[in-house]
Amino acid sequence: MSLQNDGRLRFSKQNVVYKSSKTGKVDSIPASELNLAQWRRVCLGHGIKLGTSTGHVYKYDGFRDTDFEKISEFFKANYKVELTEKDMCVKGWNWGTAKFSGPLLSFEVNDNTAFEVPLSNVSQCATGKNEVTLEFHQNDDTEVSLMEVRFYVPPSQSDERQDPVEAFAQNVLSKADVIQATGDAVCIFKELQCLTPRGRYDIRIYPTFLHLHGKTFDYKIPYTTVLRLFLLPHKDQRQMFFVISLDPPIKQGQTRYHFLILLFSKEEDISLTLNMSEEDVERRFEGKLSKFMSGSLYEMVSRVMKALVNRKITVPGNFQGHSGAQCITCSYKASSGLLYPLERGFIYVHKPPVHLRFEEISCVNFARGTTTTRSFDFEIETKQGNQYTFSSIEREEYGKLFDFVNAKKLNIKNRGFKEGMKGKIDEYSDSDDDQHDAYLERMKAEGKIREEGNDSDESDGESDESFNPGEEDEEIAEEYVTLLKQTSKECEAKKQYDKAKKEYKESGGATSSPRKESKKSGAKKDDKKRKSAGADKDRERGGNDSFKSREFIETSEESSSDSDHKSKSKRKKVNPVTVNAIIRQNRLRLFLIE
């Protein structure tokens, strides 16, 4: 019958006792301390709110409407407290009055309570311009938890001496379960560049927690939530990353930051004085720190954090890439970053940061780049089934990364294939003088075939011997096999066609058809009629049979030459398509047919 947990509630003359069914915890409220009892309508029926003289508030629900009279009479008779009915605001308005009553923040609309916030559940309280943000502890017993509420506080017109935002925050912090900055900070680092969360922050180092103070957000990070510390050199050898791994993460709205990443310049130095006496420093840190220190800024920050958190700092191991750096340039998701092979895992910085330990890795895979053969992808699959793909890695890094993974005895998914690839000098070679580019070789071969096809139309179409598919990469080989299967069928069909054509010609099929013969005989008869008619006319004119006009002779010569040219062109078209024409249509398929 509790608001959060099921249990049993018992009213007796001496006290009110509640026992949780889940945890077995017992809450006992002495009858002499009860000073408030309210009967309220809640989402699951009715509930009771009890208040004590010590400032504690208890709420229970699960009552029926008929229980009111019975409980009210019992309270009057034994506790001398009247059980009053209290209406709740159900209008859904978001503008009202915030009232602080003991450990509760009550938000009221027209003197009716809309909701209440137990301040003991508040983990952080941050202020902004006319705004107060409350963050809550996560409830592990529920699937969905309320993590943040923001209140807009309008500027006060009556009292200008006190900021209403600060007054609201102080009322919350007085009862909230938040980390309080008790005492002075051990040291302060001003305006440090932070990549995640992005911005410039002042870092105040306290004995039990780390305080990040920015222009918009403040974070208090207990040292107990720090899992690991990393100090990583940038590839340009001029900057350093200092990474703090957190669990649970810090929150900014809906965003969770599991890593705090600071970026330092190696050239920036600092002189640091701890806000402690020398005896306290010696007794507390046992020689790890001294009251007066100086050196590079990143060294001072990492040294102080190591002493306070009491954890080792992880640095890159003996891995060295092709360029001599201890990291590999790559892309993860949509952003470019750096992948650091460590002695016990991999870490990628910085957006988003990823840390993978060897013990949680199931296997790794080296995959060919999707856009170009000059790069490859490095895939990591975890035992939980998650896959991380680091793409656009220069192929010169392949040998170094493969040796590192092999030395760490990680399961390589395509070990046999990649070891064979590793043995080839022309594939993933470290030499810049004699690099083999499969795509470039294919373009050269196609260009040479194109030039030979354009040199002469009378070429017999001999194939280029330099085009050797065996030297191409796997993708070209697969295309070669596919086309070979297709063209073998085409070659067989072409042979059958040639054979049928030859048989057709030998059987006399090439001669003219009867229809054409009839047309020709008819044409001859017409010619004879025209000739006889012309002869009769000539005889009438003078009887000279051998006379022909000049126009008739020229016309007949032109027609005969045209007919000869057309017959030649027809014979030329009937011939099979030349090899060079096939080359121009499909150069790669021509080679396979030959």
Side-chain angles (χ1 to χ4, degrees):
M1 296 171 64
S2 169
L3 186 61
Q4 293 183 348
N5 301 303
D6 293 335
R8 297 182 64 85
L9 182 66
R10 181 170 59 90
F11 298 108
S12 66
K13 295 181 179 181
Q14 293 79 20
N15 52 21
V16 177
V17 180
Y18 171 78
K19 183 177 182 180
S20 173
S21 300
K22 182 178 181 180
T23 62
K25 183 181 178 181
V26 177
D27 292 332
S28 180
I29 307 172
S32 57
E33 295 182 0
L34 282 175
N35 60 4
L36 175 66
Q38 290 182 352
W39 180 265
R40 305 189 300 179
R41 181 70 181 267
V42 294
C43 59
L44 297 177
H46 294 77
I48 291 179
K49 176 183 176 181
L50 302 178
T52 65
S53 57
T54 57
H56 293 88
V57 176
Y58 302 90
K59 291 185 290 184
Y60 307 98
D61 64 14
F63 296 96
R64 294 185 295 270
D65 189 14
T66 56
D67 295 333
F68 174 75
E69 295 182 2
K70 210 171 21 174
I71 298 175
S72 177
E73 293 176 0
F74 185 85
F75 273 41
K76 286 182 180 179
N78 297 281
Y79 303 150
K80 309 302 181 185
V81 175
E82 184 178 358
L83 183 62
T84 59
E85 294 188 63
K86 181 69 174 178
D87 294 331
M88 305 293 291
C89 178
V90 293
K91 293 182 178 180
W93 292 4
N94 63 345
W95 185 269
T97 304
K99 294 184 178 180
F100 294 90
S101 176
L104 286 179
L105 165 61
S106 178
F107 187 81
E108 297 182 354
V109 178
N110 296 334
D111 295 329
N112 292 329
T113 303
F115 63 87
E116 293 176 333
V117 178
L119 296 178
S120 58
N121 293 337
V122 176
S123 62
Q124 294 279 4
C125 180
T127 60
K129 184 178 180 180
N130 297 333
E131 188 178 74
V132 179
T133 303
L134 305 185
E135 296 183 9
F136 304 104
H137 295 290
Q138 184 159 355
N139 189 351
D140 297 332
D141 298 330
T142 60
E143 296 181 359
V144 180
S145 299
L146 176 65
M147 300 303 300
E148 182 180 283
V149 173
R150 295 188 181 186
F151 294 94
Y152 172 78
V153 183
S156 176
Q157 302 295 333
S158 58
D159 190 0
E160 297 180 357
R161 293 174 298 177
Q162 186 177 13
D163 186 4
V165 174
E166 291 297 329
F168 190 102
Q170 291 300 324
N171 286 327
V172 173
L173 293 173
S174 63
K175 299 294 183 180
D177 183 19
V178 299
I179 302 172
Q180 298 293 335
T182 56
D184 297 329
V186 176
C187 60
I188 300 176
F189 298 99
K190 295 283 189 179
E191 293 291 323
L192 296 186
Q193 183 180 356
C194 191
L195 299 181
T196 54
R198 189 173 183 84
R200 292 273 180 176
Y201 289 87
D202 294 341
I203 297 183
R204 296 182 173 90
I205 306 295
Y206 288 91
T208 58
F209 68 95
L210 178 71
H211 183 201
L212 270 70
H213 177 70
K215 294 181 179 179
T216 308
F217 297 98
D218 281 4
Y219 302 98
K220 293 183 176 67
I221 305 173
Y223 295 142
T224 55
T225 64
V226 176
L227 293 181
R228 295 174 185 85
L229 302 174
F230 301 91
L231 188 60
L232 309 170
H234 197 280
K235 193 171 185 178
D236 59 9
Q237 303 298 325
R238 293 180 298 175
Q239 301 178 94
M240 297 290 292
F241 294 108
F242 185 64
V243 183
I244 303 174
S245 176
L246 303 173
D247 186 25
I250 57 177
K251 298 177 288 292
Q252 180 176 312
Q254 298 295 327
T255 308
R256 303 292 180 265
Y257 296 102
H258 291 271
F259 294 89
L260 177 66
I261 302 180
L262 303 174
L263 183 62
F264 299 95
S265 173
K266 285 187 174 182
E267 300 176 354
E268 190 172 358
D269 297 331
I270 188 175
S271 296
L272 187 65
T273 302
L274 300 184
N275 192 18
M276 300 172 67
S277 63
E278 294 185 2
E279 293 78 8
D280 293 338
V281 172
E282 181 64 28
R283 184 180 66 256
R284 172 76 183 271
F285 302 111
E286 300 177 353
K288 297 178 182 179
L289 298 177
S290 57
K291 183 175 176 61
F292 302 100
M293 297 182 293
S294 62
S296 299
L297 179 59
Y298 74 90
E299 291 181 351
M300 295 295 100
V301 173
S302 59
R303 187 176 174 183
V304 171
M305 287 297 298
K306 179 182 177 182
L308 288 169
V309 178
N310 197 22
R311 293 189 181 275
K312 295 181 180 180
I313 296 179
T314 303
V315 297
N318 54 5
F319 175 81
Q320 194 171 25
H322 173 72
S323 60
Q326 294 179 295
C327 58
I328 296 174
T329 303
C330 62
S331 296
Y332 177 65
K333 294 185 177 180
S335 301
S336 177
L338 300 174
L339 179 66
Y340 290 84
L342 308 174
E343 288 300 316
R344 296 182 180 178
F346 295 95
I347 186 170
Y348 172 84
V349 291
H350 80 286
K351 190 178 180 180
V354 177
H355 178 234
L356 298 169
R357 293 172 286 115
F358 289 156
E359 60 189 35
E360 61 181 340
I361 294 177
S362 174
C363 63
V364 299
N365 180 37
F366 293 88
R368 196 175 303 278
T370 56
T371 58
T372 177
T373 58
R374 298 183 181 275
S375 64
F376 67 95
D377 297 346
F378 183 57
E379 301 172 352
I380 299 178
E381 186 174 339
T382 63
K383 295 178 181 177
Q384 290 77 22
N386 299 323
Q387 183 169 328
Y388 301 86
T389 301
F390 303 97
S391 58
S392 303
I393 304 177
E394 296 180 355
R395 66 179 184 179
E396 288 80 10
E397 303 286 0
Y398 169 77
K400 300 286 187 180
L401 185 58
F402 182 88
D403 293 338
F404 174 83
V405 171
N406 201 26
K408 296 300 180 182
K409 299 180 180 180
L410 295 177
N411 181 24
I412 302 177
K413 200 171 184 179
N414 51 354
R415 175 183 294 273
F417 171 75
K418 286 301 173 183
E419 285 182 346
M421 296 289 289
K422 187 172 180 292
K424 295 182 180 181
I425 302 300
D426 58 347
E427 190 80 29
Y428 294 116
S429 173
D430 290 338
S431 173
D432 294 333
D433 299 331
D434 187 18
Q435 292 185 353
H436 175 75
D437 193 327
Y439 179 76
L440 181 60
E441 292 296 328
R442 184 173 67 177
M443 292 296 102
K444 288 181 178 179
E446 292 184 357
K448 186 174 290 186
I449 293 176
R450 189 184 302 111
E451 290 175 0
E452 292 182 357
N454 296 332
D455 286 342
S456 174
D457 290 340
E458 303 298 329
S459 174
D460 59 354
E462 292 180 357
S463 62
D464 183 10
E465 297 297 334
S466 64
F467 182 75
N468 186 2
E471 296 179 358
E472 299 298 327
D473 56 12
E474 284 187 321
E475 296 177 1
I476 304 303
E478 291 178 0
E479 183 181 358
Y480 171 78
V481 173
T482 304
L483 290 176
L484 185 61
K485 292 179 180 179
Q486 296 176 357
T487 52
S488 62
K489 297 179 181 179
E490 294 176 3
C491 290
E492 186 65 27
K494 187 175 182 301
K495 288 179 181 179
Q496 294 178 1
Y497 169 76
D498 293 339
K499 184 178 178 181
K501 184 178 179 181
K502 184 177 180 182
E503 293 176 354
Y504 175 73
K505 287 183 177 181
E506 290 177 354
S507 63
T511 59
S512 301
S513 62
R515 185 179 180 183
K516 292 183 178 179
E517 290 293 336
S518 63
K519 289 183 178 180
K520 289 182 179 180
S521 62
K524 288 180 180 179
K525 291 179 180 180
D526 294 338
D527 291 340
K528 287 180 179 180
K529 290 180 180 179
R530 285 196 295 269
K531 286 180 181 179
S532 61
D536 294 339
K537 290 180 181 181
D538 291 338
R539 290 193 193 100
E540 293 175 359
R541 289 174 183 175
N544 188 2
D545 297 335
S546 62
F547 174 79
K548 289 183 180 181
S549 66
R550 181 180 178 184
E551 290 80 3
F552 178 81
I553 297 172
E554 290 179 354
T555 304
S556 58
E557 288 178 355
E558 290 177 0
S559 62
S560 62
S561 63
D562 292 340
S563 62
D564 293 340
H565 179 71
K566 289 180 180 179
S567 62
K568 289 180 182 180
S569 63
K570 287 181 179 178
R571 287 196 298 271
K572 187 174 182 180
K573 290 180 180 178
V574 169
N575 292 336
V577 182
T578 61
V579 178
N580 284 319
I582 299 176
I583 292 175
R584 287 193 294 271
Q585 292 175 3
N586 195 331
R587 295 182 297 275
L588 181 58
R589 182 170 295 181
L590 166 68
F591 169 74
L592 298 174
I593 293 174
E594 293 295 331

